Amino acid sequence: KSHIRRQERAMASHGGIEGAISERLMPSGTSETSELKRRPLDRRILEEIYKDLHGHRSEQALKRNVYWERWSAKSDTNAPVMSASRKAQETFGFGGEAKLVRSATTREQFPVTPLPEVAFLGRTNSGRSSLINAILNRYVCRYGHLKGTTKSADFVNVADKLMLVDLPGYGYFHPFSADPLRVKQGQNINESYINACAIHTANTKSSSETSQNQQVPQNIQTGRQRNLKRVFGCVPCVTGLQDGDLSLCDLLQDRGIPFSILLTKTDLMPIRTLARMADLTRSKLVKYTHCEELLLVNALRLAGITRIQNILGNVARKQQLAADPLEMSFDTIV
């Protein structure tokens, strides 16, 4: 349970129960809640929140009744890209097919494909699968209200131009959704995928050192085993960056993988608190050179979905058209 885990972490970090009690009664530092309340508001972040309809608002009937499955046209599988860039419209629009290629539970089951890949990774119940469904405007990735619904790496092929990867979450798993064996299996899948996408180094010996029978390795980058272009780290805006999220950022930074942080479920937090949380999260990500951007998204209202579609459209593989326009078929043009 959450309060027991907090007590165990406090006892481990402060040297026992006496240190945890003294820290609770007389804190040595500033808590994140108090720091969040004292943080000034950024006008640019507030403008973005109001423009994209982020934050907790008063339309409770809209929140209860409107889901993306209900308002989306059932006979039309085009993703909502009317306000997106041209590259995003070419990737997600015009009836492009998106299908689940494989649900891998081991590294050997990962599909071999030349398509560029974009992975979604985050804590359990952070909204990764719902976000992918909202981007594609169709039910592709299974999701649920219990923590730990996704237990395998789901590879989704988008119109033979892009591969979206829905990786299992990390953190707490609900016992009804996954057993301890499945939890360990999901952790191994994440580690195997990140290691397969990391920039590997090969150790070589110089000729002068080899002649002296001294082995001095030289690191040479050999590239990635998979064509991973970006990792989207999904973080619920209510909790912000936790220790597991910062460990993921450190791992991606060490592996040389570009990533972006997405603050999800923005409809659960008041507008001003959300602006302060985004500013606080941005200050924590400044030290990561491979962090590309921080985005606010909400799969319920499709807030911020267009920006993610623009990023994916720039990453997607470009289709080679014939030199003679008369030789093009209608399917190729579309």
Side-chain angles (χ1 to χ4, degrees), residues 185-201:
Q185 189 180 41
Q187 296 175 358
N188 295 334
I189 293 173
N190 293 337
E191 295 177 359
S192 301
Y193 185 81
I194 292 177
N195 292 331
C197 299
I199 298 178
H200 298 276
T201 57

Side-chain angles (χ1 to χ4, degrees), residues 18-310:
E18 295 181 356
I21 293 175
S22 62
E23 178 67 22
R24 181 67 176 177
L25 297 177
M26 295 181 295
S28 59
T30 305
S31 63
E32 185 175 351
T33 304
S34 59
E35 182 181 359
L36 189 64
K37 291 180 179 179
R38 295 200 304 263
R39 199 166 193 86
L41 292 173
D42 192 337
R43 183 175 296 273
R44 295 182 180 180
I45 299 178
L46 275 176
E47 291 178 356
E48 179 182 351
I49 290 174
Y50 277 105
K51 181 180 178 181
D52 295 339
L53 297 179
H54 293 289
H56 180 72
R57 299 173 186 269
S58 59
E59 55 270 16
Q60 296 297 329
L62 177 65
K63 181 179 178 181
R64 285 195 304 265
N65 299 327
V66 179
Y67 296 91
W68 73 270
E69 296 97 340
R70 297 191 180 184
W71 59 257
S72 61
K74 296 300 181 180
S75 60
D76 185 10
T77 57
N78 293 338
V81 292
M82 296 305 175
S83 59
S85 64
R86 181 179 178 182
K87 294 181 180 179
Q89 292 182 9
E90 293 176 354
T91 304
F92 297 100
F94 310 114
E97 183 182 4
K99 59 181 179 179
L100 181 63
V101 177
R102 186 172 301 175
S103 296
T105 56
T106 58
R107 183 171 182 174
E108 290 74 15
Q109 296 178 357
F110 292 165
V112 179
T113 173
L115 297 178
E117 297 181 0
V118 176
F120 290 81
L121 186 59
R123 294 203 304 271
T124 55
N125 201 20
S126 60
R128 304 178 315 278
S129 303
S130 301
L131 181 60
I132 295 177
N133 293 335
I135 293 174
L136 301 176
N137 192 26
R138 67 199 72 188
Y139 183 81
V140 178
C141 298
R142 181 174 175 267
Y143 66 95
H145 66 283
L146 295 179
K147 293 186 177 182
T149 303
T150 304
K151 295 176 283 293
S152 61
D154 298 334
F155 292 82
V156 181
N157 187 345
V158 182
D160 291 332
K161 297 180 181 179
L162 183 66
M163 187 72 72
L164 301 182
V165 186
D166 184 15
L167 294 174
Y170 53 86
Y172 175 73
F173 281 74
H174 197 278
F176 289 167
S177 62
D179 53 2
L181 182 60
R182 289 292 186 91
V183 174
K184 184 62 177 177
Q185 189 180 41
Q187 296 175 358
N188 295 334
I189 293 173
N190 293 337
E191 295 177 359
S192 301
Y193 185 81
I194 292 177
N195 292 331
C197 299
I199 298 178
H200 298 276
T201 57
N203 295 331
T204 59
K205 306 174 185 177
S206 59
S207 59
S208 59
E209 297 295 341
T210 305
S211 60
Q212 299 176 3
N213 295 327
Q214 295 180 357
Q215 298 181 359
V216 180
Q218 296 178 350
N219 293 329
I220 300 177
Q221 293 185 356
T222 59
R224 296 187 174 94
Q225 298 180 12
R226 304 192 66 86
N227 190 14
L228 180 65
K229 298 297 184 181
R230 185 74 63 91
V231 172
F232 285 111
C234 298
V235 178
C237 66
V238 179
T239 58
L241 287 174
Q242 301 296 322
D243 295 337
D245 303 321
L246 295 176
S247 300
L248 173 64
C249 295
D250 294 335
L251 179 61
L252 296 176
Q253 179 73 19
D254 295 338
R255 298 295 191 271
I257 300 176
F259 64 95
S260 302
I261 298 298
L262 306 178
L263 287 180
T264 60
K265 301 182 179 181
T266 56
D267 60 322
L268 301 180
M269 181 173 283
I271 295 176
R272 292 180 176 270
T273 309
L274 178 61
R276 293 188 175 95
M277 177 60 74
D279 191 15
L280 179 62
T281 306
R282 183 177 59 183
S283 64
K284 294 181 180 180
L285 297 175
V286 172
K287 62 180 180 179
Y288 298 103
T289 58
H290 286 81
C291 182
E292 301 293 340
E293 63 264 319
L294 171 67
L295 299 176
L296 302 177
V297 295
N298 187 358
L300 178 65
R301 299 172 181 164
L302 291 184
I305 297 297
T306 303
R307 298 187 179 183
I308 301 179
Q309 289 175 344
N310 293 339

